[in-house]
Amino acid sequence: MAMAVTERAIDRIKAMIVAGALAPGQRLPREEELAEDLGLSRNSLREAVRALTAMRILVVRQGDGTYVSSLEPGLLLESLTFAADVSTGETALQLLQVRRMLEPQATALAAGRITDADLARLSGLLERCNRARDIEEFVACDMDFHGAIADLAGNPVLSALLRILSSRTQRVRVLRAAGGDAVLAGAQREHGAILEALAARDARLAEASAAVHIAGVERWLRAEAPAGSPAGTSEVSPDVSPAGAAASSAATPAGA
């Protein structure tokens, strides 16, 4: 019963935002006033505020009050990051399939917008990846590389979605599962191919290079499923691709 009351409180505050009664960045009325206006108890209102804060819809500023957030799509989508972090098995594969639909298109868009300064930055990121001393350092560079390309597409919503679909946690997971150096070498080759296509301002080639990179990950993800289980049940991540490599065993994507 208490949960139902809290959900109604959440819905009513959302409705105020949708209707424009509460605008982005606006401070909410005092607790007692808002509770009375909405016909809620103050306890129910507090629970709703906590939930909406977790959703990034509201922001609590200590000593100042509660405000509506900027409501930028990238901010609101952050709450989905945890779902991507903990996904394994068929769910991880489904997230990768969505990424495969979006990232090649984003890379194609980037090819039409990229500048020489952007290319220099991407090249520097790949050099940092080459010098990475451990998996965590490589993943940080890798995320910056893919994130920079997504940003060049010029669509913040698309960029935010792609960051969620391939999170840091997932990237680290696949590298540790796959065995390291061979996978890193293959990822660097494929990243280099993407960068070359972008440097040529060739949207179709950039799209194809990104698609090959992600499709290779998907093939490996399916191949790594334990016998008798659905494809993609191993805890691996949608980022580092073994495509184009000759695997010496089913467990390790050699040359990737």
Side-chain angles (χ1 to χ4, degrees):
M1 180 65 177
M3 182 62 68
V5 172
T6 300
E7 288 175 355
R8 285 200 299 272
I10 291 170
D11 288 342
R12 288 176 185 177
I13 295 173
K14 284 182 176 179
M16 291 178 69
I17 295 172
V18 171
L22 291 172
Q26 182 176 338
R27 188 180 187 276
L28 267 64
R30 292 180 302 115
E31 183 181 270
E32 56 269 29
E33 179 184 340
L34 183 58
E36 183 177 350
D37 288 345
L38 296 176
L40 301 167
S41 70
R42 293 173 68 173
N43 284 338
S44 295
L45 179 59
R46 288 170 191 161
E47 290 295 330
V49 167
R50 277 194 282 268
L52 291 168
T53 299
M55 298 176 199
R56 307 292 197 270
I57 294 173
L58 298 180
V59 178
V60 177
R61 300 177 187 171
Q62 294 299 326
D64 189 21
T66 301
Y67 290 76
V68 180
S69 74
S70 66
L71 302 180
E72 291 292 329
L75 177 66
L76 299 180
L77 288 169
E78 283 181 7
S79 60
L80 298 176
T81 301
F82 181 72
D85 283 342
V86 299
S87 66
T88 58
E90 192 66 22
T91 301
L93 184 58
Q94 289 165 355
L95 288 173
L96 177 58
Q97 289 167 342
V98 176
R99 182 187 170 199
R100 180 158 54 85
M101 296 175 193
L102 299 178
E103 189 162 328
Q105 294 298 319
T107 308
L109 289 171
R113 300 167 56 92
I114 199 165
T115 66
D116 289 342
D118 295 327
L119 287 168
R121 181 190 173 203
L122 290 175
S123 180
L125 288 172
L126 289 192
E127 289 176 7
R128 278 177 50 205
C129 288
N130 279 328
R131 297 193 302 269
R133 292 165 294 182
D134 53 39
I135 289 175
E136 284 75 13
E137 187 175 348
F138 175 85
V139 165
C141 299
D142 182 64
M143 289 185 69
D144 287 344
F145 177 75
H146 284 281
I149 294 173
D151 289 343
L152 287 171
N155 186 320
V157 178
L158 177 59
S159 182
L161 282 171
L162 287 172
R163 281 181 167 83
I164 290 167
L165 290 170
S166 187
S167 69
R168 180 185 183 89
T169 299
Q170 290 182 326
R171 284 173 156 94
V172 170
R173 186 185 296 154
V174 70
L175 285 172
R176 285 177 174 163
D181 291 344
V183 178
L184 297 183
Q188 289 293 72
R189 284 195 301 273
E190 292 176 356
H191 289 162
I194 293 170
L195 183 58
E196 287 178 9
L198 291 172
R201 273 75 173 185
D202 188 328
R204 288 188 177 181
L205 181 59
E207 179 181 354
S209 299
V212 166
H213 180 54
I214 302 167
V217 186
E218 185 177 347
R219 285 195 298 272
W220 184 49
L221 189 60
R222 290 184 182 279
E224 286 300 288
S229 64
T233 52
S234 58
E235 293 190 5
V236 296
S237 141
D239 190 58
V240 182
S241 168
S248 59
S249 72
T252 303

